Amino acid sequence: MFRKTLVLTLLIVLLTACAPQSVATSGLTFTDGLGREVVLPGPAQRVVSVAPSNTEILFAIGAGAQVVGRDEFSDYPAEAASLPSIGGSMGEFSAEAIVALEPDLVLAAEINTPELVKQLEDLGLTVYYLSNPTTLEEMYVNLEIVGQLTGHDVSALVESLKERVAAVDEKIAPLSFRPNVFYEIDATDPTKPWTYGPGTFGDLLIERAGGFNIASSAADPYPQWSLEQIVVANPSVIVLGDAMWGVTPESVKERAGWESIVAVQDGNIFPIDDNLISRPGPRLVDGLEALAKILHPGAFE
């Protein structure tokens, strides 16, 4: 009896020595945007992305093959659209669909709620919450974080992005003229369209591209700017982030009261892909280049 008990005890000790805590100790430990400690036994191999910006980051750093699921709005690159969707079109995700994909990491972003993070963690999933960057330089850091989470060296990508931004900075720096810009996000009410205010990437990129955002002093990061405010600011350039919803320069010219604005009189109304401005991933550099060419075409001839 004593011998049997001794063997059983030794077996328990042996199993305990091989338990997950030894793996965790030698694994990867991170602190995410919510201040939580996130531990991975190694680079994640099955990732579910619940934000378009995160999906774009994952593919840009070479981790696309490790993505097994994505949110409903993740449509770039084209390969992402063919992955299983886990919902999210109205902010509602299918926890069951996420669990069924058996991810070893769920990559969340600020567009997701802390409540969603807790819900997924309560289901036994590992979740990393990636904070939005506030500058292009912080965006590079986010690329490095996701690279570490998934086991990819992002140094070449980051260096390439830095070089492209530096090329824009070099062309913009000598210029003294900074056109007033109105960036339209949504003109469901054309007398009071939504725009980018302070603290947004729309505001940051307009400034860095050599323009002045007429809503930069707004109290809200996404304010509605009245027609009266726009007329008083009298922008010389209007950028249509809502062109993807069918708004055109021609339709803007037909709006009552807009005919006195310099940008309308001079025909300086330009559509743009708002995904380049609103998604805090590597395509922000594409957005910067696009805006700089709109605001200062002569500098890029």
Side-chain angles (χ1 to χ4, degrees):
M1 180 66 182
F2 174 78
R3 175 176 294 181
K4 186 175 179 180
T5 301
L6 177 61
V7 170
L8 181 58
T9 301
L10 290 173
L11 181 59
I12 291 172
V13 170
L14 179 62
L15 289 174
T16 301
C18 298
Q21 60 262 33
S22 64
V23 176
T25 301
S26 61
L28 305 172
T29 302
F30 304 87
T31 301
D32 76 354
L34 294 175
R36 301 155 51 252
E37 186 176 89
V38 178
V39 179
L40 291 172
Q45 300 302 313
R46 294 182 61 80
V47 183
V48 168
S49 170
V50 289
S53 57
N54 286 349
T55 304
E56 295 191 13
I57 290 173
L58 286 160
F59 276 86
I61 67 170
Q66 293 155 252
V67 183
V68 295
R70 50 91 188 178
D71 71 288
E72 189 67 24
F73 290 116
S74 286
D75 56 3
Y76 186 90
E79 307 95 277
S82 63
L83 292 171
S85 170
I86 44 80
S89 61
M90 298 297 289
E92 296 177 354
F93 294 88
S94 171
E96 293 78 9
I98 296 174
V99 171
L101 291 169
E102 300 181 348
D104 52 12
L105 176 67
V106 177
L107 190 58
E110 282 195 19
I111 196 173
N112 308 124
T113 64
E115 289 76 17
L116 174 66
V117 173
K118 185 177 186 309
Q119 178 190 9
L120 297 177
E121 280 204 322
D122 288 346
L123 292 171
L125 299 175
T126 300
V127 184
Y128 187 96
Y129 182 95
L130 189 68
S131 296
N132 280 351
T134 59
T135 64
L136 291 174
E137 289 69 25
E138 289 183 10
M139 184 266 288
Y140 305 145
V141 174
N142 275 5
L143 298 183
E144 292 167 355
I145 291 171
V146 180
Q148 293 167 9
L149 289 167
T150 57
H152 290 271
D153 181 358
V154 304
S155 55
L157 171 63
V158 169
E159 187 59 31
S160 171
L161 294 172
K162 287 181 177 178
E163 289 176 359
R164 289 170 57 192
V165 171
V168 173
D169 289 343
E170 184 178 1
K171 291 182 181 297
I172 297 301
L175 305 177
S176 57
F177 173 62
R178 304 181 73 82
N180 285 356
V181 180
F182 175 66
Y183 190 110
E184 183 171 285
I185 300 174
D186 180 349
T188 303
D189 179 357
T191 67
K192 206 171 184 180
W194 273 271
T195 187
Y196 287 119
T200 62
F201 267 104
D203 184 60
L204 171 75
L205 295 181
I206 289 170
E207 176 75 20
R208 193 137 182 181
F212 173 75
N213 177 19
I214 66 169
S216 61
S217 61
D220 192 303
Y222 299 97
Q224 281 184 279
W225 218 240
S226 71
L227 174 58
E228 291 74 17
Q229 288 173 296
I230 298 170
V231 169
V232 169
N234 202 18
S236 54
V237 176
I238 295 174
V239 181
L240 301 177
D242 51 3
M244 60 196 299
W245 307 115
V247 178
T248 65
E250 290 71 27
S251 65
V252 172
K253 291 176 182 175
E254 294 173 356
R255 292 176 184 168
W258 287 63
E259 64 277 1
S260 64
I261 300 171
V262 167
V264 175
Q265 293 175 348
D266 293 347
N268 290 331
I269 309 171
F270 302 94
I272 197 170
D273 181 354
D274 189 61
N275 291 329
L276 303 180
I277 311 296
S278 62
R279 296 181 179 183
R283 286 204 296 164
L284 287 175
V285 176
D286 295 7
L288 172 66
E289 292 173 335
L291 281 172
K293 290 175 182 175
I294 287 173
L295 302 183
H296 299 284
F300 294 87
E301 289 178 348

